[in-house]
């Protein structure tokens, strides 16, 4: 899957310019125009890197970064992009938790070089699959639903990870048994998968009786449905 980068910038022209260059270099891009929107978009998409303007409406870039570091630790990198060019401003930004600092005006190709350099240093921490606010992190063995930790068993984790790696594909119970129990296929019953699905739905669905994520395909099996 492509790495996702979020641009937090209230200037439309700058935002569109950055987006164009990022997409040209094969990144998925999410945009936010203020700090409050950035909080919501972050919890929905969990990007690997954020390009963050400091002078934002509603919630400043500094306040957003403080909120982010309290939430995420090392699983997302941040490049500050600001017209504040003094050494004091740069030091302050880096001490807040930014991984890099670029001043405006900037060369888009230089920005891409900084993005690539930061991801080379920190990309190993960004091993996750994110779909519609649901985030699974195989390196950490964690599942998040927006800002809430979801406690799952080993088999529930494996099943969810398999579904999220293969969204919108229907899998039969036999295929799922083979994936979860490769050495016990003959002794595991279909209802074992049904039980795992039932438990997962209770943990990740708003209405488990009317699931939106893990759906039953009658006569065939199950699929993980995503709107992204």
């Amino acid at each position: 899957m492509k790495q996702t980068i979020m641009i937090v910038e209230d200037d439309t022209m700058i935002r569109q310019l950055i987006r164009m260059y990022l997409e040209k270099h094969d990144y998925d891009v999410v945009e936010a125009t203020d700090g409050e929107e950035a909080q919501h978009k972050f919890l929905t998409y969990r990007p690997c890197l954020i390009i963050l303007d400091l002078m934002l409406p509603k919630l400043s870039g500094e306040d957003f970064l403080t909120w982010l570091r309290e939430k995420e630790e090392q699983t997302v990198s941040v490049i500050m992009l600001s017209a504040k060019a003094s050494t004091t401003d740069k030091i302050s930004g880096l001490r807040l938790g930014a991984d890099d600092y670029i001043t405006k005006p900037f060369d888009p190709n230089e920005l891409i070089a900084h993005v690539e350099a930061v991801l080379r240093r920190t990309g190993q921490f960004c091993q996750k699959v994110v779909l519609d606010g649901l985030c699974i992190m195989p390196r950490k063995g964690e599942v998040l639903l927006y800002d809430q930790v979801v406690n799952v068993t080993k088999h529930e984790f494996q099943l969810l990870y398999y579904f999220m790696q293969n969204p919108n594909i229907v899998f039969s119970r036999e295929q799922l048994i083979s994936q979860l129990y490769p050495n016990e296929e003959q002794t595991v019953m279909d209802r074992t998968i049904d039980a795992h699905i039932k438990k997962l739905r209770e943990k990740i669905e708003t209405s488990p009786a009317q699931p939106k994520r893990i759906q039953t395909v009658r006569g065939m099996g199950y699929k993980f449905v995503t709107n992204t």
Side-chain angles (χ1 to χ4, degrees):
M1 297 181 71
K2 294 181 182 180
Q3 290 174 305
T4 300
I5 296 176
M6 182 166 73
I7 308 165
V8 188
E9 168 63 66
D10 61 332
D11 186 301
T12 302
M13 291 185 65
I14 293 176
R15 200 171 61 249
Q16 290 177 346
L17 176 66
I18 296 171
R19 182 184 192 110
M20 181 179 69
Y21 273 80
L22 288 173
E23 289 180 340
K24 180 181 176 182
H25 287 80
D26 208 31
Y27 294 104
D28 281 334
V29 179
V30 177
E31 297 181 21
T33 59
D34 61 66
E36 290 184 0
E37 184 185 11
Q39 289 178 322
H40 174 71
K41 290 285 185 72
F42 173 77
L43 293 174
T44 302
Y45 297 99
R46 297 274 173 178
C48 287
L49 184 144
I50 298 171
I51 297 172
L52 177 65
D53 186 23
L54 294 184
M55 292 180 283
L56 296 168
K58 297 185 181 180
L59 185 73
S60 72
E62 291 94 339
D63 288 342
F64 170 77
L65 182 55
T66 298
W67 171 86
L68 182 70
R69 287 310 182 212
E70 289 173 351
K71 287 246 172 225
E72 269 295 291
E73 307 255 342
Q74 298 298 321
T75 62
V76 61
S77 302
V78 175
I79 296 176
M80 283 187 169
L81 184 64
S82 177
K84 296 181 178 180
S86 74
T87 301
T88 300
D89 290 324
K90 293 178 182 178
I91 292 172
S92 176
L94 294 170
R95 283 179 173 168
L96 273 175
D99 298 275
D100 203 349
Y101 194 109
I102 299 175
T103 56
K104 299 176 182 177
F106 62 95
D107 182 321
N109 288 307
E110 182 182 358
L111 175 61
I112 294 298
H114 280 261
V115 166
E116 292 171 346
V118 169
L119 288 175
R120 278 197 300 272
R121 294 197 305 268
T122 64
Q124 72 270 22
F125 299 112
C126 191
Q127 295 178 10
K128 54 192 171 185
V129 182
V130 186
L131 297 171
D132 300 333
L134 186 63
C135 173
I136 189 164
M137 295 178 281
R139 183 185 180 94
K140 299 177 71 175
E142 291 183 1
V143 179
L144 297 172
L145 183 57
Y146 295 102
D147 59 347
Q148 299 298 315
V149 175
V150 181
N151 294 312
V152 294
T153 66
K154 173 186 173 182
H155 285 131
E156 290 166 0
F157 186 93
Q158 291 174 334
L159 183 60
L160 183 61
Y161 186 42
Y162 187 58
F163 272 135
M164 291 180 67
Q165 286 182 305
N166 301 279
N168 302 311
I169 297 174
V170 180
F171 293 103
S172 67
R173 290 176 176 83
E174 291 76 16
Q175 287 175 306
L176 296 174
I177 289 171
S178 177
Q179 182 69 26
L180 263 64
Y181 303 94
N183 301 316
E184 306 172 46
E185 294 180 44
Q186 303 304 316
T187 60
V188 179
M189 298 182 179
D190 286 357
R191 64 172 175 264
T192 302
I193 293 297
D194 295 341
H196 288 323
I197 297 291
K198 181 175 183 293
K199 290 293 186 182
L200 271 176
R201 283 172 171 167
E202 290 171 353
K203 295 174 181 180
I204 67 172
E205 299 281 3
T206 303
S207 175
Q210 297 178 304
K212 300 295 185 182
R213 298 178 186 273
I214 302 177
Q215 296 186 7
T216 302
V217 181
R218 192 174 299 276
M220 297 179 67
Y222 298 101
K223 68 177 178 177
F224 188 96
V225 177
T226 176
N227 296 317
T228 57

